[in-house]
Each structure stands twice: as C-alpha cells, then as structure tokens.
Amino acid sequence: AQRVTQPEKLLSVFKGAPVELKCNYSYSGSPELFWYVQYSRQRLQLLLRHISRESIKGFTADLNKGETSFHLKKPFAQEEDSAMYYCALSGVRAQKLVFGQGTRLTINP
Amino acid sequence: DAGVIQSPRHEVTEMGQEVTLRCKPISGHDYLFWYRQTMMRGLELLIYFNNNVPIDDSGMPEDRFSAKMPNASFSNLKIQPSEPRDSAVYFCASSLGAGGLSGELFFGEGSRLTVL
C-alpha cells in the first residue's frame, strides 16, 4: 500500500528564514515522489519531482530512501511562498498518485 | 487549451439529494482522476480511469458514490443520496501517463460541495 505522511498541518516562518516541510512515505516498491503546491486562488500544480533533481522557485527536495523521506526545503523563505503544499507518491508500476494531508505554509513579513 | 474544466464550481444541496459533478479533461490525456479534499483528510484519491476504463475505485467511500467516463472528454461523479459528511472540495485531474506516473497531473479548479 502507498501512504504519505505530512506531520505538520500548519507551518509558520518569518520571511528570510529557512523552511522545511516534512514528508515521509511508505511503499514497498520503487517510489516516485512529488511536491504539489496550491497558491491562493490558483489550481493545484506540480512544484517539483524527485527524478528531475531540480530546484524550483528556490525549493529543493531530496529523496532519502533510508529514512523514507522527501522533505521540501528552501534556505530563505519569501512571502509569495505562502501556500498549501502536498507531498505525493507514485510507484514506478503503480499509476495512481497518492497525496499526503498537506501543510499550509505561512510566511510572515 | 483551457485546462481541466469542472462544473459546477459551487454546489449547495440538502441531505438526501443527488449531486452530479462534471469534468472535462485536457484533450489527449489518457488518465483521469477524482480526488476529494477535506481539512481532516487532505487529498484523497477516489477513483481513476485509464482510456475511459475505471482502474481503481478503492477510494470511493460508499455505494452512494459512483463515477463514469463515457468518453475521452467527459467524466462525472455522482453522490446519491448526499449526506452532510460529503461536504468537501472535489477535484478532477488528468495526465498523460506512460509506464508509471512520471507524468504531471493537471488539476481543475475544483467543485465545492456543501450538503446541508
């Protein structure tokens, strides 16, 4: 079974401070991990995926298979980062995307 | 392309009434997903289709829920009879998947359902 856990429903940090949104997963096969983001009044959209190993809007996420984690990080938070963030998991052979409960990130000025 | 189109955007109904939510996926996408978003449970996958065929409906909460995809450009999700606990935002998403979900999901704007 696929499961994604985001332990923090709410996270609030000050502008310029580092941000880390936690994500842990459970999956017996080879996972594919994603972060999706929903800004206010916008559609839920893909932020980044682990296979791309890219930095998007200053965010990075590293897949740690030993700890079964895929935490999202940004060294210096900006006010426009305030949004709802969802971690998601798919197996290479499983075609469905399972999401965590989401973390609402608020960046305070 | 206008993206994934969902209707209605908002629906307020009374307990016991039938609710129908509609979705038009992006043209050419072969996967369609229905998700439900609530504060308590986050985004839950209800059902998904591949080439109009339901593949996994294990997330459909009860027999009151049903979904169909009669053709590649339309899907609907029905709740009959509706209950207050069905109140949520229902999202439809489509993707062009190939050999596992390495493709990106494109979401609609969601249908906010309130059952009184």
Side-chain angles (χ1 to χ4, degrees), chain B residues 23-90:
Chain B
C23 175
K24 181 180 188 307
I26 292 173
S27 177
H29 282 189
D30 54 351
Y31 285 86
L32 184 141
F33 303 81
W34 281 100
Y35 286 90
R36 178 171 68 176
Q37 183 187 48
T38 61
M39 287 288 291
M40 292 299 296
R41 303 170 73 103
L43 264 174
E44 301 174 274
L45 177 63
L46 300 177
I47 185 171
Y48 77 97
F49 298 82
N50 177 217
N51 292 321
N52 313 338
V53 176
I55 303 300
D56 185 346
D57 65 353
S58 59
M60 296 286 262
E62 299 173 31
D63 290 346
R64 298 184 295 107
F65 285 69
S66 64
K68 293 183 179 179
M69 191 167 185
N71 57 63
S73 59
F74 177 74
S75 176
N76 63 31
L77 176 69
K78 287 190 178 182
I79 309 172
Q80 167 62 18
S82 59
E83 296 182 4
R85 59 187 167 135
D86 301 330
S87 298
V89 181
Y90 291 81

Side-chain angles (χ1 to χ4, degrees), chain A residues 9 32 34 36 38 43-46 49 51 84 86 90-102, chain B residues 2-4 31 33 35 37 39-43 45 48 56 58 91 99-105 107-109:
Chain A
K9 281 195 172 181
E32 293 191 20
F34 307 80
Y36 277 74
Q38 188 175 25
R43 303 181 186 214
L44 190 61
Q45 59 189 285
L46 178 66
R49 63 190 85 184
I51 58 173
M84 191 75 174
Y86 287 95
S90 173
V92 173
R93 294 191 182 279
Q95 293 153 336
K96 63 181 181 182
L97 196 61
V98 174
F99 286 83
Q101 290 183 297
Chain B
V4 175
Y31 285 86
F33 303 81
Y35 286 90
Q37 183 187 48
M39 287 288 291
M40 292 299 296
R41 303 170 73 103
L43 264 174
L45 177 63
Y48 77 97
D56 185 346
S58 59
F91 286 101
L101 199 69
S102 52
E104 177 179 351
L105 257 62
F107 282 81
E109 293 181 291

